[in-house]
Amino acid sequence: MTLQWHDLDRVAPLSGLYTRAALRRKVTGKQLPDTGLRTWLAVDDQRLAAYRDVCGFGGGSLLPITYPHVMAFALQMQLLTDHDFPFPLLGLVHLSNRIQVLRPLGGLSRVHASVHVENLRAHEKGATFSLVTRIEDALGPLWEEDSVMLCKGVHLDGEPVTDVQAPTAPMIEQARWYAGNDCGRKYAKVSGDYNPIHLSAASARLFGFPTAIAHGMFSKARALAALREQLPAANLQVQVEFRKPVRLPSEVVLWASTGGSSGQFELKGKGDLLHMEGQWSPVA
């Protein structure tokens, strides 16, 4: 597929994008658009500091590994709420997330971001696709993200993709934290992701959840903040699979292997309930 790029002077306001998302409730097709969006994004120091605080990254000269996801969130929203995109944004399920850091994320005030979708595939519960985000500076590619999203109820030809779990390495407890009732609202404020399933029990029940659940990207960010002393600043790939949602409020425990250029980690809750599993390695 040859992408047709649209270069934007600015990203649309999130308020309008959420209104557009709320009005789209039906599947309108079974083909992904061949368009992508690109624009320049500025690093907002105040927003960055708030994100560091909420996700536990503390200070530092480098951007947190997950922060470009937040910077590009509105651009992603604009693509996924466009009239050519066939699936309703509300109701999409974030199954997995892979981030690659190609060079250290330091000395950045402005970056060039691009987003597109690809790789539509059959799934036992519907159809999945990849939302691909890339960040560059004047020297070239810096950071890349592939988020696999599920749209339930879409029927495609072909065999569903089988989820293969990697063998688990020995792990030790690295951190634990309490995700309170306000966890989703705090993360929404610093990320812009105001999906109702994360904000309150009342709004989550409208979408079939008995309680609000933590954002998957908050769980990934919080885990990588706890592991930041073990991870290299570049030539790094971190892949996670989101398993059972973290219901709010609850305490979770991060387990991880003891370091090195490659390793594994898991986020578990009460009764060893697996919420997220992941691994880090050099970029292939």
Side-chain angles (χ1 to χ4, degrees), residues 167-192:
T168 301
M171 299 186 191
I172 62 173
E173 181 179 331
Q174 299 282 340
R176 62 175 61 213
W177 60 87
Y178 180 75
N181 281 317
D182 61 349
C183 173
R185 294 188 293 276
K186 286 182 175 180
Y187 183 76
K189 188 174 181 179
V190 299
S191 69

mmCIF file of all heavy atoms in Angstrom, residues 167-192:
data_model
loop_
_atom_site.group_PDB
_atom_site.id
_atom_site.type_symbol
_atom_site.label_atom_id
_atom_site.label_comp_id
_atom_site.label_asym_id
_atom_site.label_seq_id
_atom_site.Cartn_x
_atom_site.Cartn_y
_atom_site.Cartn_z
ATOM 1 N N PRO A 167 8.272 -17.996 26.510
ATOM 2 C CA PRO A 167 8.609 -18.567 27.819
ATOM 3 C C PRO A 167 9.005 -17.467 28.797
ATOM 4 O O PRO A 167 9.615 -16.466 28.422
ATOM 5 C CB PRO A 167 9.793 -19.488 27.500
ATOM 6 C CG PRO A 167 9.701 -19.760 26.030
ATOM 7 C CD PRO A 167 9.102 -18.541 25.425
ATOM 8 N N THR A 168 8.642 -17.654 30.053
ATOM 9 C CA THR A 168 8.895 -16.636 31.068
ATOM 10 C C THR A 168 10.232 -16.886 31.753
ATOM 11 O O THR A 168 10.525 -18.001 32.195
ATOM 12 C CB THR A 168 7.772 -16.635 32.116
ATOM 13 O OG1 THR A 168 6.531 -16.390 31.454
ATOM 14 C CG2 THR A 168 8.006 -15.567 33.157
ATOM 15 N N ALA A 169 11.055 -15.836 31.848
ATOM 16 C CA ALA A 169 12.329 -15.918 32.557
ATOM 17 C C ALA A 169 12.096 -15.722 34.052
ATOM 18 O O ALA A 169 11.063 -15.188 34.465
ATOM 19 C CB ALA A 169 13.273 -14.840 32.029
ATOM 20 N N PRO A 170 13.059 -16.145 34.897
ATOM 21 C CA PRO A 170 12.934 -15.873 36.339
ATOM 22 C C PRO A 170 12.854 -14.371 36.598
ATOM 23 O O PRO A 170 13.590 -13.591 36.006
ATOM 24 C CB PRO A 170 14.222 -16.471 36.913
ATOM 25 C CG PRO A 170 14.665 -17.482 35.906
ATOM 26 C CD PRO A 170 14.251 -16.930 34.580
ATOM 27 N N MET A 171 11.941 -13.969 37.491
ATOM 28 C CA MET A 171 11.732 -12.556 37.761
ATOM 29 C C MET A 171 11.721 -12.293 39.259
ATOM 30 O O MET A 171 11.431 -13.184 40.045
ATOM 31 C CB MET A 171 10.398 -12.080 37.157
ATOM 32 C CG MET A 171 10.300 -12.229 35.655
ATOM 33 S SD MET A 171 8.774 -11.495 35.007
ATOM 34 C CE MET A 171 8.809 -12.113 33.327
ATOM 35 N N ILE A 172 12.035 -11.046 39.615
ATOM 36 C CA ILE A 172 11.944 -10.606 40.998
ATOM 37 C C ILE A 172 11.051 -9.370 41.054
ATOM 38 O O ILE A 172 10.870 -8.670 40.053
ATOM 39 C CB ILE A 172 13.329 -10.295 41.600
ATOM 40 C CG1 ILE A 172 14.005 -9.152 40.822
ATOM 41 C CG2 ILE A 172 14.216 -11.534 41.616
ATOM 42 C CD1 ILE A 172 15.296 -8.674 41.460
ATOM 43 N N GLU A 173 10.507 -9.101 42.233
ATOM 44 C CA GLU A 173 9.667 -7.920 42.376
ATOM 45 C C GLU A 173 10.514 -6.659 42.241
ATOM 46 O O GLU A 173 11.546 -6.509 42.894
ATOM 47 C CB GLU A 173 8.957 -7.936 43.729
ATOM 48 C CG GLU A 173 8.040 -6.735 43.923
ATOM 49 C CD GLU A 173 7.296 -6.742 45.248
ATOM 50 O OE1 GLU A 173 7.026 -7.838 45.796
ATOM 51 O OE2 GLU A 173 6.995 -5.635 45.753
ATOM 52 N N GLN A 174 10.042 -5.738 41.395
ATOM 53 C CA GLN A 174 10.755 -4.489 41.149
ATOM 54 C C GLN A 174 10.059 -3.283 41.765
ATOM 55 O O GLN A 174 10.707 -2.338 42.192
ATOM 56 C CB GLN A 174 10.885 -4.258 39.638
ATOM 57 C CG GLN A 174 11.667 -5.337 38.902
ATOM 58 C CD GLN A 174 13.158 -5.197 39.076
ATOM 59 O OE1 GLN A 174 13.643 -4.132 39.426
ATOM 60 N NE2 GLN A 174 13.902 -6.263 38.843
ATOM 61 N N ALA A 175 8.743 -3.309 41.789
ATOM 62 C CA ALA A 175 7.978 -2.163 42.304
ATOM 63 C C ALA A 175 6.538 -2.586 42.507
ATOM 64 O O ALA A 175 6.078 -3.583 41.944
ATOM 65 C CB ALA A 175 8.050 -0.981 41.335
ATOM 66 N N ARG A 176 5.835 -1.820 43.317
ATOM 67 C CA ARG A 176 4.392 -1.980 43.428
ATOM 68 C C ARG A 176 3.784 -0.603 43.642
ATOM 69 O O ARG A 176 4.422 0.285 44.193
ATOM 70 C CB ARG A 176 4.017 -2.958 44.550
ATOM 71 C CG ARG A 176 4.433 -2.564 45.962
ATOM 72 C CD ARG A 176 3.880 -3.578 46.973
ATOM 73 N NE ARG A 176 4.382 -4.925 46.757
ATOM 74 C CZ ARG A 176 3.677 -6.037 47.011
ATOM 75 N NH1 ARG A 176 2.435 -5.946 47.482
ATOM 76 N NH2 ARG A 176 4.206 -7.233 46.789
ATOM 77 N N TRP A 177 2.570 -0.446 43.174
ATOM 78 C CA TRP A 177 1.895 0.842 43.358
ATOM 79 C C TRP A 177 0.395 0.623 43.468
ATOM 80 O O TRP A 177 -0.141 -0.407 43.038
ATOM 81 C CB TRP A 177 2.239 1.823 42.247
ATOM 82 C CG TRP A 177 1.869 1.403 40.851
ATOM 83 C CD1 TRP A 177 0.687 1.591 40.200
ATOM 84 C CD2 TRP A 177 2.729 0.721 39.919
ATOM 85 N NE1 TRP A 177 0.744 1.086 38.929
ATOM 86 C CE2 TRP A 177 1.982 0.551 38.730
ATOM 87 C CE3 TRP A 177 4.051 0.268 39.974
ATOM 88 C CZ2 TRP A 177 2.528 -0.079 37.604
ATOM 89 C CZ3 TRP A 177 4.576 -0.353 38.866
ATOM 90 C CH2 TRP A 177 3.815 -0.523 37.699
ATOM 91 N N TYR A 178 -0.241 1.620 44.045
ATOM 92 C CA TYR A 178 -1.689 1.604 44.225
ATOM 93 C C TYR A 178 -2.316 2.500 43.169
ATOM 94 O O TYR A 178 -1.997 3.687 43.075
ATOM 95 C CB TYR A 178 -2.056 2.086 45.631
ATOM 96 C CG TYR A 178 -3.540 2.093 45.915
ATOM 97 C CD1 TYR A 178 -4.222 0.901 46.161
ATOM 98 C CD2 TYR A 178 -4.253 3.281 45.939
ATOM 99 C CE1 TYR A 178 -5.581 0.900 46.429
ATOM 100 C CE2 TYR A 178 -5.613 3.300 46.208
ATOM 101 C CZ TYR A 178 -6.272 2.104 46.447
ATOM 102 O OH TYR A 178 -7.619 2.107 46.700
ATOM 103 N N ALA A 179 -3.165 1.903 42.355
ATOM 104 C CA ALA A 179 -3.885 2.663 41.337
ATOM 105 C C ALA A 179 -5.249 3.019 41.903
ATOM 106 O O ALA A 179 -6.140 2.168 41.986
ATOM 107 C CB ALA A 179 -4.019 1.835 40.057
ATOM 108 N N GLY A 180 -5.414 4.260 42.337
ATOM 109 C CA GLY A 180 -6.631 4.687 43.009
ATOM 110 C C GLY A 180 -7.768 4.984 42.046
ATOM 111 O O GLY A 180 -7.624 4.921 40.819
ATOM 112 N N ASN A 181 -8.910 5.340 42.610
ATOM 113 C CA ASN A 181 -10.087 5.660 41.799
ATOM 114 C C ASN A 181 -9.834 6.812 40.842
ATOM 115 O O ASN A 181 -10.465 6.910 39.784
ATOM 116 C CB ASN A 181 -11.273 6.006 42.707
ATOM 117 C CG ASN A 181 -11.939 4.775 43.284
ATOM 118 O OD1 ASN A 181 -12.159 3.788 42.581
ATOM 119 N ND2 ASN A 181 -12.252 4.814 44.574
ATOM 120 N N ASP A 182 -8.913 7.716 41.207
ATOM 121 C CA ASP A 182 -8.637 8.880 40.366
ATOM 122 C C ASP A 182 -7.485 8.666 39.387
ATOM 123 O O ASP A 182 -7.080 9.599 38.691
ATOM 124 C CB ASP A 182 -8.347 10.093 41.245
ATOM 125 C CG ASP A 182 -7.121 9.886 42.142
ATOM 126 O OD1 ASP A 182 -6.629 8.742 42.235
ATOM 127 O OD2 ASP A 182 -6.690 10.870 42.762
ATOM 128 N N CYS A 183 -6.968 7.442 39.333
ATOM 129 C CA CYS A 183 -5.815 7.156 38.470
ATOM 130 C C CYS A 183 -6.104 7.510 37.017
ATOM 131 O O CYS A 183 -5.297 8.158 36.343
ATOM 132 C CB CYS A 183 -5.434 5.682 38.603
ATOM 133 S SG CYS A 183 -4.159 5.114 37.464
ATOM 134 N N GLY A 184 -7.267 7.082 36.510
ATOM 135 C CA GLY A 184 -7.605 7.345 35.120
ATOM 136 C C GLY A 184 -7.768 8.824 34.824
ATOM 137 O O GLY A 184 -7.362 9.310 33.764
ATOM 138 N N ARG A 185 -8.338 9.555 35.759
ATOM 139 C CA ARG A 185 -8.534 10.992 35.548
ATOM 140 C C ARG A 185 -7.204 11.733 35.569
ATOM 141 O O ARG A 185 -6.989 12.681 34.801
ATOM 142 C CB ARG A 185 -9.494 11.550 36.608
ATOM 143 C CG ARG A 185 -10.912 10.989 36.478
ATOM 144 C CD ARG A 185 -11.892 11.690 37.388
ATOM 145 N NE ARG A 185 -11.639 11.445 38.812
ATOM 146 C CZ ARG A 185 -12.067 10.397 39.485
ATOM 147 N NH1 ARG A 185 -12.770 9.441 38.864
ATOM 148 N NH2 ARG A 185 -11.823 10.259 40.779
ATOM 149 N N LYS A 186 -6.292 11.323 36.465
ATOM 150 C CA LYS A 186 -4.978 11.964 36.511
ATOM 151 C C LYS A 186 -4.205 11.738 35.214
ATOM 152 O O LYS A 186 -3.591 12.654 34.671
ATOM 153 C CB LYS A 186 -4.172 11.416 37.704
ATOM 154 C CG LYS A 186 -4.635 11.922 39.061
ATOM 155 C CD LYS A 186 -3.745 11.357 40.162
ATOM 156 C CE LYS A 186 -4.106 11.928 41.521
ATOM 157 N NZ LYS A 186 -3.238 11.368 42.598
ATOM 158 N N TYR A 187 -4.246 10.486 34.714
ATOM 159 C CA TYR A 187 -3.515 10.206 33.474
ATOM 160 C C TYR A 187 -4.178 10.903 32.295
ATOM 161 O O TYR A 187 -3.493 11.409 31.395
ATOM 162 C CB TYR A 187 -3.429 8.701 33.229
ATOM 163 C CG TYR A 187 -2.620 8.367 32.003
ATOM 164 C CD1 TYR A 187 -1.233 8.432 32.027
ATOM 165 C CD2 TYR A 187 -3.241 8.025 30.806
ATOM 166 C CE1 TYR A 187 -0.482 8.158 30.885
ATOM 167 C CE2 TYR A 187 -2.507 7.748 29.661
ATOM 168 C CZ TYR A 187 -1.128 7.819 29.713
ATOM 169 O OH TYR A 187 -0.392 7.558 28.579
ATOM 170 N N ALA A 188 -5.503 10.957 32.286
ATOM 171 C CA ALA A 188 -6.207 11.640 31.198
ATOM 172 C C ALA A 188 -5.788 13.106 31.118
ATOM 173 O O ALA A 188 -5.617 13.664 30.025
ATOM 174 C CB ALA A 188 -7.717 11.531 31.400
ATOM 175 N N LYS A 189 -5.602 13.733 32.265
ATOM 176 C CA LYS A 189 -5.253 15.154 32.296
ATOM 177 C C LYS A 189 -3.898 15.420 31.661
ATOM 178 O O LYS A 189 -3.694 16.445 31.007
ATOM 179 C CB LYS A 189 -5.270 15.656 33.744
ATOM 180 C CG LYS A 189 -5.123 17.155 33.874
ATOM 181 C CD LYS A 189 -5.301 17.606 35.313
ATOM 182 C CE LYS A 189 -5.181 19.118 35.440
ATOM 183 N NZ LYS A 189 -5.366 19.570 36.841
ATOM 184 N N VAL A 190 -2.942 14.499 31.820
ATOM 185 C CA VAL A 190 -1.598 14.722 31.276
ATOM 186 C C VAL A 190 -1.424 14.126 29.882
ATOM 187 O O VAL A 190 -0.467 14.458 29.184
ATOM 188 C CB VAL A 190 -0.499 14.181 32.212
ATOM 189 C CG1 VAL A 190 -0.555 14.888 33.550
ATOM 190 C CG2 VAL A 190 -0.595 12.676 32.391
ATOM 191 N N SER A 191 -2.322 13.220 29.475
ATOM 192 C CA SER A 191 -2.180 12.547 28.184
ATOM 193 C C SER A 191 -3.184 13.005 27.143
ATOM 194 O O SER A 191 -2.956 12.833 25.938
ATOM 195 C CB SER A 191 -2.336 11.031 28.363
ATOM 196 O OG SER A 191 -3.680 10.703 28.703
ATOM 197 N N GLY A 192 -4.325 13.542 27.597
ATOM 198 C CA GLY A 192 -5.393 13.896 26.677
ATOM 199 C C GLY A 192 -6.349 12.766 26.383
ATOM 200 O O GLY A 192 -7.350 12.949 25.688
#
